[in-house]
PDB file of all heavy atoms in Angstrom:
ATOM      1  N   HIS A  26       8.091  -6.028 -13.114  1.00  0.00           N
ATOM      2  CA  HIS A  26       7.422  -6.899 -12.129  1.00  0.00           C
ATOM      3  C   HIS A  26       6.596  -6.027 -11.154  1.00  0.00           C
ATOM      4  O   HIS A  26       6.849  -4.853 -11.050  1.00  0.00           O
ATOM      5  CB  HIS A  26       8.421  -7.632 -11.269  1.00  0.00           C
ATOM      6  CG  HIS A  26       9.467  -8.415 -11.984  1.00  0.00           C
ATOM      7  ND1 HIS A  26       9.430  -9.823 -12.026  1.00  0.00           N
ATOM      8  CD2 HIS A  26      10.618  -8.059 -12.619  1.00  0.00           C
ATOM      9  CE1 HIS A  26      10.478 -10.241 -12.706  1.00  0.00           C
ATOM     10  NE2 HIS A  26      11.224  -9.215 -13.059  1.00  0.00           N
ATOM     11  N   TYR A  27       5.685  -6.665 -10.402  1.00  0.00           N
ATOM     12  CA  TYR A  27       5.312  -6.073  -9.153  1.00  0.00           C
ATOM     13  C   TYR A  27       5.866  -6.917  -8.027  1.00  0.00           C
ATOM     14  O   TYR A  27       6.177  -8.091  -8.240  1.00  0.00           O
ATOM     15  CB  TYR A  27       3.781  -5.845  -9.059  1.00  0.00           C
ATOM     16  CG  TYR A  27       2.838  -6.992  -9.025  1.00  0.00           C
ATOM     17  CD1 TYR A  27       3.043  -8.190  -8.275  1.00  0.00           C
ATOM     18  CD2 TYR A  27       1.653  -6.932  -9.730  1.00  0.00           C
ATOM     19  CE1 TYR A  27       2.153  -9.220  -8.248  1.00  0.00           C
ATOM     20  CE2 TYR A  27       0.736  -7.964  -9.725  1.00  0.00           C
ATOM     21  CZ  TYR A  27       1.015  -9.078  -8.965  1.00  0.00           C
ATOM     22  OH  TYR A  27       0.143 -10.131  -8.946  1.00  0.00           O
ATOM     23  N   GLU A  91      11.415  -4.079 -10.151  1.00  0.00           N
ATOM     24  CA  GLU A  91      10.252  -4.439  -9.296  1.00  0.00           C
ATOM     25  C   GLU A  91       9.512  -3.189  -8.904  1.00  0.00           C
ATOM     26  O   GLU A  91      10.093  -2.199  -8.395  1.00  0.00           O
ATOM     27  CB  GLU A  91      10.804  -5.135  -7.968  1.00  0.00           C
ATOM     28  CG  GLU A  91      11.298  -6.531  -8.171  1.00  0.00           C
ATOM     29  CD  GLU A  91      10.181  -7.598  -8.227  1.00  0.00           C
ATOM     30  OE1 GLU A  91       8.975  -7.204  -8.087  1.00  0.00           O
ATOM     31  OE2 GLU A  91      10.511  -8.778  -8.398  1.00  0.00           O
ATOM     32  N   HIS A 133       6.673  -9.588 -16.498  1.00  0.00           N
ATOM     33  CA  HIS A 133       7.070 -10.927 -16.038  1.00  0.00           C
ATOM     34  C   HIS A 133       6.044 -11.948 -16.558  1.00  0.00           C
ATOM     35  O   HIS A 133       6.409 -13.088 -16.937  1.00  0.00           O
ATOM     36  CB  HIS A 133       7.142 -10.939 -14.512  1.00  0.00           C
ATOM     37  CG  HIS A 133       7.950 -12.106 -13.953  1.00  0.00           C
ATOM     38  ND1 HIS A 133       8.017 -12.376 -12.608  1.00  0.00           N
ATOM     39  CD2 HIS A 133       8.751 -13.015 -14.577  1.00  0.00           C
ATOM     40  CE1 HIS A 133       8.780 -13.435 -12.429  1.00  0.00           C
ATOM     41  NE2 HIS A 133       9.236 -13.821 -13.609  1.00  0.00           N
ATOM     42  N   ASP A 143       2.381 -10.656 -12.988  1.00  0.00           N
ATOM     43  CA  ASP A 143       2.813  -9.270 -12.723  1.00  0.00           C
ATOM     44  C   ASP A 143       3.490  -8.648 -13.927  1.00  0.00           C
ATOM     45  O   ASP A 143       3.998  -9.350 -14.773  1.00  0.00           O
ATOM     46  CB  ASP A 143       3.788  -9.334 -11.547  1.00  0.00           C
ATOM     47  CG  ASP A 143       5.053 -10.178 -11.712  1.00  0.00           C
ATOM     48  OD1 ASP A 143       4.920 -11.320 -12.161  1.00  0.00           O
ATOM     49  OD2 ASP A 143       6.146  -9.678 -11.442  1.00  0.00           O
TER      50      ASP A 143
HETATM   51 ZN1   ZN B 301       7.821 -10.932 -11.210  1.00  0.00          ZN
END
Side-chain angles (χ1 to χ4, degrees):
H26 304 257
Y27 64 45
E91 286 279 0
H133 200 189
D143 61 311

